Amino acid sequence: MGEMVSYRSNGGTSEGYLAIPSGGAASPAVIVIQDWWGLVPHVRSVVDRFAEAGFVALAPDFRHGEPASKPTEPRQMLNSPQMDEAATEIAAAADYLAGRSEVTGKAGCAGFCAGASLALWAATRSERIVATAAFYPRLPWDGMRPEWADYAGKAAIIHCSEADGTSADEGVQTVRRAIETAGGNCQTYDYPGTAHAFFNEDRPENYDQRAAATAWARTLELFRAKLG
């Protein structure tokens, strides 16, 4: 139901996959951040699901049409200036969405794996992003020193798999404390018996239907409460 669009970013042009709800009324926006692999069918399907739930949704294409062929390629991104560039692209995506007539102005950000880490960080890079949802984020970030002060009045949820150490993981707790110290709200949720990527239907060896449905419902609840 979506389409590829272009928008201004980082002094140039970025592309992303955009889906708009039917009905014509202005809606809040959600930015969807890819995991290791790029703008793959799973990420597009999440964008479509957000649109079906009543949000204007956009997934920026950080890899510019070239999905990763192996995890080592995008993992390099976690320890390089590319993470900062990606965060800047997310802020530009929020500005682009705010300028569309279909959007009310506020935005949420949801991400998966490495993209979940970026989604959490995104709220510190754009005043438009007021709610974030992180599905099994890769934490901590070696080589990065994110500042969390801009989380005041904002909210985050972190969906934790058992395989990643649950919410007891020190990286998750460090981020939770930092967000709350900055004046934001952060809820963590554990999904017993789950593997990393339990939300991804395209990975049947990891997918957990019950956990995925619960995490999705909690994410929609947060975004509807915070984005209006």
Side-chain angles (χ1 to χ4, degrees):
M1 63 185 294
E3 62 177 347
M4 293 299 295
V5 295
S6 298
Y7 54 93
R8 301 276 308 164
S9 174
N10 285 344
T13 301
S14 292
E15 293 189 331
Y17 179 73
L18 176 75
I20 298 172
S22 59
S27 306
V30 172
I31 301 165
V32 179
I33 310 302
Q34 63 203 35
D35 56 13
W36 297 132
W37 306 105
L39 193 55
V40 294
H42 167 64
V43 175
R44 293 171 184 256
S45 72
V46 174
V47 172
D48 291 340
R49 287 180 67 182
F50 272 119
E52 290 168 0
F55 299 90
V56 176
L58 172 70
D61 183 11
F62 299 138
R63 296 189 60 81
H64 310 291
E66 295 292 335
S69 60
K70 53 186 178 180
T72 53
E73 294 177 21
R75 280 177 185 170
Q76 296 170 0
M77 180 179 175
L78 290 176
N79 298 313
S80 76
Q82 285 181 291
M83 281 291 275
D84 190 70
E85 294 172 9
T88 301
E89 282 200 44
I90 295 170
D95 290 341
Y96 163 73
L97 288 168
R100 292 190 63 103
S101 61
E102 304 95 339
V103 175
T104 57
K106 294 181 180 179
C109 193
F112 305 87
C113 191
S117 303
L118 273 168
L120 289 168
W121 192 28
T124 74
R125 302 295 296 265
S126 172
E127 62 180 14
R128 301 187 191 281
I129 298 173
V130 300
T132 60
F135 290 74
Y136 31 86
R138 290 293 189 185
L139 300 167
W141 301 327
D142 295 335
M144 293 180 62
R145 295 176 178 82
E147 299 290 339
W148 301 97
D150 292 335
Y151 249 93
K154 299 182 179 183
I157 54 174
I158 304 177
H159 303 296
C160 306
S161 75
E162 185 171 309
D164 291 325
T166 73
S167 61
D169 178 79
E170 181 55 30
V172 172
Q173 288 300 313
T174 296
V175 170
R176 180 190 61 79
R177 289 191 295 266
I179 289 173
E180 291 177 348
T181 299
N185 177 268
C186 184
Q187 294 288 327
T188 60
Y189 294 102
D190 291 325
Y191 298 84
T194 55
H196 185 76
F198 68 78
F199 190 80
N200 191 339
E201 292 178 312
D202 293 342
R203 296 183 61 182
E205 72 279 11
N206 290 32
Y207 179 63
D208 186 305
Q209 183 178 20
R210 178 177 295 181
T214 301
W216 179 250
R218 287 168 170 165
T219 298
L220 293 182
E221 181 180 18
L222 171 69
F223 286 170
R224 285 169 176 156
K226 289 296 290 185
L227 305 183

